[in-house]
Amino acid sequence: MNSALNPGMAPVATPFFFYLLAGLAIMGGILVITRSNAVHSALSLIVTLLSVAGLYLMLYAPFVAGVQIIVYAGGIMVLFLFVIMLVNVERASKDRRFNRIWPIGLVAACTLMGLFVSAFVKGSRINDMFRDRGMLLPESSNTQQVASLLYGEVDRMGRYTLGQYTFAFEIASLLLLVAILGAVIMTKKKI
Amino acid sequence: MPNFIMSYLGSTLTPGEAGNQFWALVYVLVIFAGVSVAVIAMNWIERKALAHFQIRLGPMRVGPHGLLQPFADALKLMLKEDIIPSEADQFVFWVAPLIGLLAAFTVYTVIPFGPSQAVSDMNIGILFMLGVSSLGVLGIVVAGWASNSNYPLIGALRSSAQMVSYEVAMGLAVVSAILMTSLNSTGTGTLSMIGIVQAQQQQGVWFIFKFFPLGFIAFAIFAIAMVAETNRAPFDMAEAESELTAGYHTEYSGFRWSLFMLSEYAAMIAVSSIAVTLWLGGWMRPFPNLLHAPAWEFVFSLFPALTFGGLAAIAFIGTVRMPSHSFFKIQRIGLAVFGALLGLVALLLLLIAIAGHSADETLASRFKESIGHVYWFVLKVAVFMYLFIWYRATWPRYRFDQLMKIGWKVMLPISLGVLMITAIVGVIFS
Amino acid sequence: MSASTKDGDNDISSRAVSHLDLDAPDKTYLDSNELIINMGPQHPATHGVLRVILKLDGEKVLGTECVIGYLHRGVEKIAENRTYTMFNPYVDRMDYVAAVSNGLGYCEAVEKLMNVEAPARAKYIRVILTELNRIASHQLWLGTHALDIGAMTPLFYTFRDREEILKIFERYCGARLTTHAFRIGGCQYETYAGFEKDVKNFLTFVAPKIDEYEALLTTNRIWLERTKNVGVISAADAIALGVTGPVLRASGVRWDLRKAQPYAAYSDFDFEIPIGEKGDTYDRYLVRMAEMRQSLRIIEQAVNGIPEGPIMGKVPKVIKPPVGEIYHSIEAPKGELGYFIVSDGSTQPYRIRVRPPSFVNLQALDIMVRGLLVADVIAVIGTLDIVLGEVDR
C-alpha cells in the first residue's frame, strides 16, 4: 500500500496553485452576483465551490475536498439548478436592481473585511507559536507531520465523527431529517 | 532505455504518487486513447449484439461485418451541420456536453489496471470517483436547460433526478465494500482503489464472495444502481423515443451529440470498472490462491494470447464464409487483414508469455505480468458491457415514478441493511 | 375534481365530462397546475395518425380528446358509386392489418342480403384464413405494444413469425397485406397444392414461438409493473361504451360473436373464449395471447376437415341484391366489425356503413386513462389495438 511518503505527494508549486484557485473562487463569486441569468450565476457558484475544494486539498484535507464536491457541487447545486429551471425564472430579467440600500451593504461588507483582517493579524501571531512547535504548513519541513496529515485524515475524521463528536453528528442528521420531513409535508397535496 | 522502462515497471508506486510527470502524461494519453477505442468498439458491439438478439444482422456493409461502421458514424457526425437553437443560451449550450465528458473521463484517473498502474492512486480514490460522477449530473441538467425547449428540459430534469437518486444507493453499496477492506489484522481500511484490490488479495477472497450473500447483495445493488446512473435500459425512460419527453440531447446534433454519446459510454465503462475493482478483484486473475502453482500461472498467462487467437480465428472463419462474389472482394481482404493483425497480436502475446515464464525479474516477465493484469481487468469490464447491452435488448423500461420508487424505497433500505449487517458480521468474525 | 351532476349519477356520460369542471367556471389559472399537451398526429407510438390532446394536472391525466380523421378516405361514400364486387377490395384497406376479416364481414353481409350461402368448403377456407389473420394481427399488436413499453425485441420475433402467415396468403391469393381473398358467394381461388401442408407446418412452427413471447413478457417484473392496474375499464363501463373484442373480454364479459352469433362454420369447431378478470392492460395481454392459442386450435380442426365441394355458391354474375337493409357483424381481431348495407335494388349499394371496432374502442380511451401518468397513455393506446385506417375509414 502507499504507506511511504514519496516525493509525488509533496505539494507542487503551492503559491501558483493557491493564487489560481483563490482567484477562480473570487471571480466565480463576483460572477454569481453580477450575472443576470440565474443559470449562469449557478454555474459560477459551482466554479467557486470547486475552487474551494481545491483549496481544501491544498490544506491536506482530501476527505473534506471530496465531500465538498459530492455534496455541495454535485448535490446542492444540482438542486439549485432544479429550482431555477422549474420555477422558470425569467431569463433576461431586466428588472431594476433593487439597490437603494447599498450603503448598508457597504457597511456590512466593510465590517466583514475588518473581521477577516483582524483574524489574519491575530493569526499570524499564533502562526509564530505554531512555527516554534513545528506544527506549521508542512511544506516547510517536517516529514512526519506531513505523513500523518496525508494518510490519517479519513481515519481521524472517522474517529472524531463517530467517536468523540457522535452527539453533534447525530443532532446534525436529525436536523436534516426534520428539514426533509418539513419539505415533504409542505409540498404534498395529500398524504 | 530498457533500464528506464524496467525502473518504471518495477516501481510500486503509481506515476502520480511518484511525482513522475512524464509517465503520468503517458498514462493519461494511453487512457484517453484506450477509452476512445473502447467506446468505438462498444458502439459496434452494441449494434451487432442488439441486432443478433433481434434476429437481425446489424451493420454489414460499411466494413466487413460492419467493423468500420463506428468510424463512418463518427465521420458523419463530425461533418454534420451544427444546429444551435436560436433562442438557446450559446455559452451554456456549448459547455454542457463538455461537462459530462470531463466528468466521465476524469474518473479514469483513479482506476487501477495493475498494482501500480493507475494515473494517480489517491488515498481518497473512491470518494473522488463518487464526486466526479456526481458532477456529470450537472452536464445533463445544463444541457436540457440550454436547449430552450420544454421537453428536453423535462427530460433533463428527470434524468438528473434519477441519477441523483441512484447515487445514494450506489454510495451506500460502495461503503459496504470499503467496510470489508477494514476486516484485516490492523483494523484499518482504505479508500484508495489500489488499496481495495490489495485488501481483496490479502483477505484471499473477492468481495463479491465475502460473507456470502452480503457481498453479493451489495454488488447487485451497485450493479443495478450503475445501470440507472448511466441512464441505460431498463431505466432509460428519460431518453426513450416513444415517450413525450424526448430527452436532454434532442436539440444537439452532429458532433455535440456524439460528445454526449461518448460521455455516456465512457461513464458506463467507468462505473463498470469501479464495480470490478470493488467487488471482482480488479486486476487479479481467477483463483490466485487456490491455483497458485507455477504451471497454473503459466496457463493463466496464456489467456490473453488465446483470446486474441480466438478473435483472429473468428475473423478468418468470417472471411471464409463470405460470399465469393466480386462485390465482397474488398471486404474479404479487409477482414483477412484484420484477422491477420489480431493473429499477430496473439503471437506477440504468446511470445511474451513464454519468454516471461521464468521467475526472474526480466523485462519480459514484467511485461507479462502487466499485460496479464490489464487483460483480466478489461475482460471483467467487457462482461459488464455485454450485460448492459443484454439488459437493453431484453427488458421493457420502467415508468419514471416506478424508477424513483425503486431507487428510494427498495435500493436504499436494502443497501443500508446490507451495510449494517456487514458491519455486525465483520465485527463478529474478526 | 369531478363535476357533480344534477341527479348524482355516476354514469358514463357524466364521468366523461368530469374533467371539464362545468360547475366551477371561476376557477383561476393559479389554482391548478393544468397543462394541455398535444400528442400530435405524427408520433412514434400512436400507431398511425392519431392526435390525442391530453389535459394534465402536473403528471396525471385529467382527460383526453382524440382528434381523428387524418386517414379519412371517404370509403363509405366511395361505396355508393361502386358495384358490390368493385367495392370488395376497398374493405381490405380499412383495417389493413386484418384485411381478411374485413373481407369476410363484407362478403357475408352481402350474401346475407342476397340470401345466398357460401358452400361448406368455402366456409372452411374462410375460417382458416381468418384465423390465420387473427394470429397475424395479434402478433403485430404484441410487437408494437411491447415496443411502446420499451421491450424492443419481441417486435422482431413476432414480425419474423408473421412472415409465415403472409407467405401462405401470398401463395393463396397473391397479396400479403390487402388480400381481397374472398368473393361474394364464396372464394375465388381454390386452395393451392400444399395449402394444408403449409398450414399444418405453420401450426407446429408457431406454437413454441408463442411460448417464447410469453417467456419474455408474462412473468417479467417490469412488464407486470407497467401493465397491471393500468388502464382499467370495468365491465359495466365497457358495455356502456360499446367496447367489443379482447378489451371487453378482458373486463370479464363473456361475449364473442363467434360463439354468440356463429357465422362461417365456427359452430363446427370446438374452442374456448379467454376471459379476463380486472380489465387492465395485463389482462388484455393475457386474453390476446390465449386467443392466439385458441385460433391455433380452430385452424387445426378446420384444416383437418376441409370438406370437398365447390368454393363458389350460386351467385349471379352481376350482383343485384333485393331492396332492403342488413346489419351483419363478425368478430374481427379487434372487436365487433359490422356492416350495415342498404340496398335499393341496383348494382350499387345505396349506403354502406361500417361499424369499426377500433373507432368505438377508442372512445374508451378517455375513461381508461383518467388518473394515469403520461407514460401510461401510450401503453393504453397500444393495448386498445387500434388501427387508424379503420377508425377513420
Side-chain angles (χ1 to χ4, degrees):
Chain A
M1 231 194 289
N2 3 301
S3 53
L5 180 63
N6 46 62
M9 290 306 270
V12 156
T14 310
F16 167 70
F17 277 114
F18 171 73
Y19 283 118
L20 177 70
L21 289 171
L24 264 180
I26 293 176
M27 196 184 67
I30 294 177
L31 282 177
V32 169
I33 53 178
T34 54
R35 305 301 297 167
S36 55
N37 187 338
V39 173
H40 287 179
S41 300
L43 290 178
S44 316
L45 187 55
I46 293 175
V47 167
T48 305
L49 293 171
L50 290 177
S51 321
V52 170
L55 286 171
Y56 286 149
L57 260 183
M58 293 186 62
L59 289 173
Y60 296 91
F63 184 75
V64 181
V67 170
Q68 165 93 349
I69 297 181
I70 296 178
V71 171
Y72 236 130
I76 294 181
M77 286 318 295
V78 170
L79 293 178
F80 266 42
L81 282 169
F82 274 20
V83 170
I84 293 175
M85 291 169 189
L86 283 174
V87 169
N88 202 8
V89 170
E90 273 292 296
R91 288 223 227 170
S93 64
K94 297 279 194 283
D95 291 343
R96 284 202 46 203
R97 305 240 158 79
F98 184 62
N99 52 5
R100 282 193 298 152
I101 55 167
W102 65 268
I104 302 184
L106 192 61
V107 166
C110 287
T111 314
L112 199 59
M113 170 89 141
L115 208 63
F116 286 157
V117 166
S118 72
F120 184 72
V121 164
K122 274 213 185 95
S124 61
R125 267 187 261 133
I126 300 185
N127 268 350
D128 297 333
M129 212 163 59
F130 277 168
R131 191 182 296 125
D132 297 335
R133 299 183 198 185
M135 281 155 64
L136 188 48
L137 284 185
E139 285 90 272
S140 39
S141 53
N142 211 324
T143 41
Q144 189 50 44
Q145 300 289 343
V146 181
S148 71
L149 278 174
L150 282 177
Y151 301 105
E153 202 236 342
V154 182
D155 186 90
R156 280 181 297 131
M157 180 79 78
R159 282 181 209 279
Y160 283 144
T161 315
L162 296 173
Q164 200 171 344
Y165 299 107
T166 305
F167 190 60
F169 185 60
E170 297 295 333
I171 293 285
S173 342
L174 202 62
L175 215 64
L176 285 171
L177 181 66
V178 167
I180 294 175
L181 285 175
V184 168
I185 291 177
M186 278 200 292
T187 55
K188 262 186 97 64
K189 290 190 188 130
K190 50 184 192 295
I191 298 190
Chain B
M1 180 67 168
N3 286 338
F4 183 56
I5 300 183
M6 274 287 284
S7 72
Y8 164 64
L9 286 177
S11 81
T12 53
L13 299 171
T14 62
E17 291 176 325
N20 196 338
Q21 278 109 350
F22 171 71
W23 277 113
L25 195 62
V26 167
Y27 252 117
V28 166
L29 288 174
V30 166
I31 286 182
F32 194 74
V35 172
S36 304
V37 166
V39 166
I40 286 179
M42 182 60 189
N43 198 4
W44 180 81
I45 294 177
E46 167 148 43
R47 287 182 70 163
K48 290 298 269 189
L50 211 56
H52 281 276
F53 276 118
Q54 294 165 351
I55 343 165
R56 310 178 279 129
L57 286 175
M60 292 288 282
R61 294 183 57 101
V62 183
H65 287 276
L67 281 167
L68 294 179
Q69 180 75 46
F71 298 100
D73 283 340
L75 195 64
K76 173 204 80 163
L77 286 170
M78 279 196 270
L79 296 176
K80 245 184 162 174
E81 176 189 357
D82 189 23
I83 304 176
I84 301 184
S86 58
E87 295 292 319
D89 199 334
Q90 301 280 333
F91 172 69
V92 176
F93 193 84
W94 169 78
V95 95
L98 296 181
I99 298 180
L101 201 63
L102 270 170
F105 272 89
T106 312
V107 178
Y108 290 94
T109 321
V110 289
I111 292 180
F113 297 92
S116 61
Q117 271 97 325
V119 173
S120 162
D121 180 45
M122 303 179 213
N123 59 341
I124 48 154
I126 275 291
L127 212 58
F128 180 77
M129 183 281 292
L130 284 173
V132 166
S133 53
S134 61
L135 284 180
V137 180
L138 283 169
I140 293 182
V141 176
V142 155
W145 167 261
S147 303
N148 191 30
S149 169
N150 205 17
Y151 293 151
L153 181 61
I154 297 180
L157 291 176
R158 282 195 186 167
S159 277
S160 46
Q162 166 189 333
M163 286 168 83
V164 164
S165 317
Y166 280 88
E167 259 170 27
V168 181
M170 231 168 81
L172 280 173
V174 160
V175 169
S176 59
I178 306 289
L179 190 64
M180 291 182 194
T181 62
S182 69
L183 302 172
N184 53 12
S185 51
T186 60
T188 53
T190 171
L191 285 176
S192 89
M193 304 280 272
I194 293 186
I196 295 174
V197 179
Q198 283 172 335
Q200 293 180 62
Q201 207 167 18
Q202 271 172 1
Q203 297 179 24
V205 64
W206 287 0
F207 283 160
I208 186 177
F209 299 121
K210 194 160 175 86
F211 298 148
F212 197 83
L214 287 175
F216 185 74
I217 297 179
F219 167 71
I221 302 260
F222 188 86
I224 299 173
M226 80 180 182
V227 176
E229 185 74 15
T230 48
N231 276 325
R232 290 280 294 188
F235 302 108
D236 62 347
M237 175 62 85
E239 53 182 45
E241 305 95 22
S242 67
E243 307 298 329
L244 269 186
T245 58
Y248 57 91
H249 50 70
T250 316
E251 298 289 338
Y252 287 83
S253 64
F255 194 57
R256 297 180 203 276
W257 181 84
S258 70
L259 286 179
F260 274 118
M261 287 301 111
L262 187 63
S263 68
E264 174 172 322
Y265 281 127
M268 277 163 64
I269 301 179
V271 288
S272 306
S273 313
I274 306 290
V276 163
T277 310
L278 252 57
W279 280 279
L280 289 177
W283 63 76
M284 296 201 288
R285 67 169 175 84
F287 304 117
N289 297 326
L290 196 59
L291 306 168
H292 60 268
W296 279 111
E297 289 280 340
F298 182 59
V299 165
F300 276 111
S301 68
L302 285 178
F303 266 68
L306 286 175
T307 311
F308 273 94
L311 289 175
I314 293 176
F316 282 129
I317 293 176
T319 319
V320 165
R321 285 185 47 166
M322 259 201 217
S324 51
H325 190 275
S326 61
F327 283 169
F328 291 94
K329 201 160 68 131
I330 295 185
Q331 283 199 4
R332 275 191 125 178
I333 295 175
L335 195 56
V337 166
F338 187 62
L341 277 173
L342 287 173
L344 268 176
V345 173
L347 207 59
L348 188 64
L349 290 172
L350 190 64
L351 284 174
I352 293 181
I354 294 178
H357 179 47
S358 60
D360 308 299
E361 299 288 306
T362 60
L363 190 64
S365 75
R366 287 266 166 76
F367 263 123
K368 172 189 80 123
E369 263 185 50
S370 302
I371 289 174
H373 291 319
V374 174
Y375 170 76
W376 287 110
F377 184 82
V378 171
L379 185 69
K380 294 173 196 172
V381 172
V383 168
F384 275 98
M385 291 294 109
Y386 184 71
L387 284 177
F388 270 110
I389 303 175
W390 198 357
Y391 299 159
R392 184 172 179 205
T394 320
W395 291 331
R397 61 178 69 97
Y398 271 110
R399 209 171 60 208
F400 188 70
D401 63 319
Q402 291 167 342
L403 195 159
M404 297 295 275
K405 181 184 83 133
I406 291 177
W408 288 105
K409 288 196 196 170
V410 172
M411 309 273 284
L412 182 58
I414 293 182
S415 51
L416 270 176
V418 163
L419 178 62
M420 286 196 287
I421 299 180
T422 310
I424 295 174
V425 168
V427 164
I428 292 178
F429 282 107
S430 70
Chain C
M1 262 296 197
S2 61
S4 58
T5 58
K6 303 297 174 287
D7 48 1
D9 254 353
N10 202 18
D11 66 340
I12 202 82
S13 49
S14 55
R15 271 187 289 143
V17 299
S18 66
H19 67 286
L20 295 177
D21 289 335
L22 298 170
D23 293 336
D26 39 45
K27 207 162 162 198
T28 63
Y29 174 72
L30 290 174
D31 291 341
S32 61
N33 201 4
E34 286 174 3
L35 186 61
I36 300 208
I37 280 192
N38 184 40
M39 269 175 72
Q42 273 175 318
H43 195 277
T46 53
H47 299 286
V49 278
L50 170 69
R51 180 176 169 208
V52 181
I53 304 177
L54 296 167
K55 183 167 178 179
L56 304 176
D57 172 19
E59 181 83 12
K60 279 194 178 352
V61 176
L62 293 177
T64 64
E65 185 181 329
C66 294
V67 179
I68 58 175
Y70 290 93
L71 199 48
H72 178 69
R73 294 155 288 178
V75 166
E76 294 176 356
K77 177 66 184 172
I78 289 177
E80 298 173 9
N81 294 316
R82 303 281 183 279
T83 64
Y84 288 87
T85 327
M86 279 165 69
F87 186 61
N88 207 345
Y90 282 87
V91 294
D92 295 337
R93 271 85 176 151
M94 288 193 302
D95 177 3
Y96 37 77
V97 175
V100 177
S101 306
N102 292 18
L104 177 68
Y106 174 71
C107 292
E108 288 206 339
V110 179
E111 286 162 15
K112 213 161 159 186
L113 191 58
M114 288 177 46
N115 223 354
V116 302
E117 210 178 304
R121 183 177 173 85
K123 281 190 185 168
Y124 269 65
I125 296 176
R126 282 178 171 182
V127 164
I128 293 175
L129 290 174
T130 308
E131 289 303 312
L132 280 174
N133 209 344
R134 188 182 308 269
I135 298 177
S137 169
H138 282 339
Q139 278 177 325
L140 187 140
W141 160 83
L142 180 63
T144 51
H145 186 222
L147 182 66
D148 288 341
I149 295 194
M152 45 176 93
T153 319
L155 177 76
F156 295 92
Y157 295 171
T158 58
F159 268 68
R160 179 200 53 182
D161 304 331
R162 217 169 147 257
E163 281 299 304
E164 303 300 319
I165 301 179
L166 298 180
K167 279 182 198 162
I168 295 178
F169 285 167
E170 192 180 11
R171 288 188 198 126
Y172 177 75
C173 60
R176 287 157 52 104
L177 186 67
T178 52
T179 43
H180 192 205
F182 309 136
R183 303 288 181 273
I184 297 171
C187 304
Q188 162 118 4
Y189 301 113
E190 185 57 77
T191 61
Y192 59 91
F195 178 74
E196 282 98 348
K197 191 159 82 72
D198 276 347
V199 173
K200 285 184 188 158
N201 283 345
F202 172 73
L203 292 176
T204 49
F205 164 76
V206 89
K209 298 292 197 266
I210 301 183
D211 294 333
E212 222 178 77
Y213 313 149
E214 294 234 39
L216 268 180
L217 295 173
T218 305
T219 50
N220 185 331
R221 164 179 239 104
I222 306 179
W223 182 259
L224 289 171
E225 290 221 22
R226 285 299 299 269
T227 57
K228 268 200 178 293
N229 294 323
V230 167
V232 177
I233 184 166
S234 66
D237 280 345
I239 297 177
L241 282 168
V243 164
T244 53
V247 184
L248 178 68
R249 289 195 279 280
S251 300
V253 179
R254 184 174 292 276
W255 177 255
D256 187 330
L257 284 174
R258 293 175 290 174
K259 290 267 198 204
Q261 302 166 359
Y263 54 92
Y266 277 106
S267 41
D268 292 350
F269 305 125
D270 171 39
F271 60 98
E272 284 167 15
I273 304 177
I275 307 286
E277 282 173 5
K278 231 185 327 183
D280 59 6
T281 303
Y282 188 63
D283 277 349
R284 286 186 281 272
Y285 160 77
L286 289 175
V287 162
R288 287 194 178 101
M289 298 303 280
E291 270 188 15
M292 277 201 266
R293 297 214 162 88
Q294 295 301 318
S295 291
L296 289 178
R297 264 177 84 177
I298 299 175
I299 299 176
E300 194 178 344
Q301 293 168 48
V303 84
N304 281 332
I306 306 183
E308 298 297 329
I311 51 169
M312 198 67 173
K314 291 221 177 359
V315 168
K317 266 247 169 5
V318 173
I319 300 211
K320 231 175 169 182
V323 174
E325 59 189 38
I326 185 132
Y327 175 77
H328 177 69
S329 57
I330 64 163
E331 183 77 22
K334 308 201 160 39
E336 171 178 336
L337 171 65
Y339 288 85
F340 176 68
I341 305 182
V342 176
S343 161
D344 58 356
S346 66
T347 53
Q348 296 182 342
Y350 179 72
R351 170 88 168 102
I352 294 187
R353 158 85 169 115
V354 180
R355 185 238 186 244
S358 306
F359 180 77
V360 184
N361 290 359
L362 190 55
Q363 300 179 53
L365 179 69
D366 192 28
I367 295 294
M368 285 160 87
V369 302
R370 293 289 172 81
L372 297 182
L373 303 182
V374 171
D376 294 324
V377 173
I378 294 166
V380 172
I381 293 179
T383 185
L384 281 176
D385 195 10
I386 54 174
V387 170
L388 265 303
E390 189 168 64
V391 172
D392 290 338
R393 280 157 284 139

